[in-house]
Amino acid sequence: MTLTFGGVYPAMTTPFEEDGSIDFEQLRADARRLETAGVDGLVPVGSTGESATLTHDEHVDVVEAVVDAVEHVPVVAGTGSNATHEALSLSQRAADAGADGLLLISPYYNKPEPAGMLEHYRTIADEVDLPQIVYNVPSRTGRNVDVETAVELAGHENVRGYKAASGDLNRISEVIERTRDEEFAVLSGDDGLTLPVLSVGGAGTISVVANVEPERTCAMVGAALDGDYERAREIHHELGPLVRQLFVETNPIPVKEAMAIRGHGSPDLRPPLSRLSEEHVDRLRELLADLGSRSVPEVEA
């Protein structure tokens, strides 16, 4: 299918009931709320969606629920794994469930060499005819998707994006520079670096903060993509304290607490993750109240 990645894609959380089962009613409500807020797409069952603690069947059920809940935005399913056969199976099942695209974290723990990384992504891209995003997050995987690998993968017709969460703006800028002639979108995977990534040619963001501040995140990204960096900087700095607080403990612990404070479901997580420490909750409440009292800056069409 034709899908050009760009704009704001919230990395959705997976809400749970008290017994640890998935709260599908809240999941659908979150999807509809984010669509109404103006996001450009949704990314369920990624790292923020606690994919590591979901069964494969639950992965598919979440994707189906989000697909069914929205009408006008694409759904990009997290389907990565450290085993190529598992990532391929999850990708095929997500495609069958109606996903419009795939987000594939690089193989974790195994720490493959570049040749193995290339083979992993090419296997899935050859077998599943959906646009796919390579996800580089070395803090979780133990291995960078190096620039050469990203550039080479950009030549595959189904590899259409790169989620950059390395924190290395030089590396991200080089990937953008060397793929400018491809139909290939580089997306920020670090909320604090979204504006810098956009400034060097990034296409958008797969965002955690957009779960709780979707309108403000869309306003910032929209302004930057329109070239209004004065307005974008204003919103970037307005969001900055909340962004930092959302990563004071392991993601998605703080963002699930923030969503609960805003009335969007339970803050419960699946073990081994635990609730946000009490010492951080009061500050989170203060920041959310402060942003809630401010109007969202408008972005000129």
Side-chain angles (χ1 to χ4, degrees):
M1 68 168 291
T2 301
L3 173 59
T4 301
F5 298 113
V8 175
Y9 283 65
M12 294 184 68
T13 62
T14 301
F16 296 118
E17 304 275 11
E18 287 185 7
D19 64 2
S21 62
I22 296 170
D23 184 347
F24 286 101
E25 182 178 352
Q26 183 62 51
L27 177 66
R28 294 184 187 95
D30 287 339
R32 289 190 291 266
R33 171 178 60 85
L34 294 168
E35 181 180 35
T36 299
V39 302
D40 298 281
L42 296 171
V43 183
V45 287
S47 303
T48 306
E50 296 175 74
S51 58
T53 60
L54 301 183
T55 69
H56 288 192
D57 287 345
E58 286 176 325
H59 268 79
V60 177
D61 291 343
V62 168
V63 173
E64 287 181 339
V66 174
V67 168
D68 290 344
V70 297
E71 297 181 8
H72 305 298
V73 296
V75 176
V76 179
T79 57
S81 173
N82 67 327
T84 301
H85 69 89
E86 280 194 359
L88 177 58
S89 174
L90 284 168
S91 298
Q92 291 169 328
R93 295 183 68 184
D96 291 342
D100 300 294
L102 307 174
L103 174 68
L104 292 148
I105 194 169
S106 63
Y108 40 85
Y109 190 79
N110 316 63
K111 299 175 70 174
E113 298 300 327
M117 196 82 77
L118 280 169
E119 183 64 21
H120 173 83
Y121 281 110
R122 283 174 173 161
T123 296
I124 300 161
D126 287 345
E127 293 292 331
V128 184
D129 190 21
L130 284 180
Q132 297 166 28
I133 300 172
V134 174
Y135 179 14
N136 184 36
V137 56
S139 64
R140 287 189 182 264
T141 66
R143 179 75 85 195
N144 257 304
V145 179
D146 63 31
V147 172
E148 295 296 332
T149 299
V151 171
E152 192 160 349
L153 287 169
H156 195 291
E157 62 181 358
N158 283 334
V159 181
R160 298 274 59 92
Y162 177 84
K163 179 182 177 182
S166 68
D168 185 340
L169 192 58
N170 285 329
R171 179 188 300 271
I172 297 166
S173 182
E174 185 177 353
V175 173
I176 293 170
E177 174 188 335
R178 295 178 59 186
T179 58
R180 284 180 296 173
D181 295 332
E182 305 282 355
E183 188 180 335
F184 189 75
V186 175
L187 305 163
S188 172
D190 288 314
D191 280 303
L193 287 182
T194 293
L195 185 55
V197 169
L198 293 172
S199 75
V200 295
T205 177
I206 297 177
S207 168
V208 174
V209 72
N211 283 290
V212 286
E213 285 287 335
E215 293 92 351
R216 203 168 251 104
T217 306
C218 289
M220 181 189 73
V221 172
L225 292 175
D226 286 343
D228 188 350
Y229 278 93
E230 182 177 354
R231 189 182 298 269
R233 280 194 298 272
E234 175 188 346
I235 305 170
H236 165 82
H237 290 304
E238 191 174 50
L239 280 171
L242 176 60
V243 168
R244 290 188 289 275
Q245 195 68 13
L246 290 181
F247 294 93
V248 73
E249 293 183 17
T250 301
N251 179 51
I253 294 171
V255 73
K256 291 193 92 169
E257 194 75 39
M259 290 175 70
I261 292 169
R262 284 279 175 89
H264 306 310
S266 164
D268 291 337
L269 303 106
R270 278 193 175 166
L273 296 184
S274 56
R275 289 280 302 276
L276 184 67
S277 302
E278 195 61 38
E279 63 186 289
H280 294 133
V281 173
D282 287 345
R283 176 60 175 159
L284 185 58
R285 287 184 183 278
E286 291 172 5
L287 292 170
L288 291 170
D290 178 58
L291 284 172
S293 69
R294 305 184 189 192
S295 60
V296 179
E298 294 182 3
V299 176
E300 296 178 4

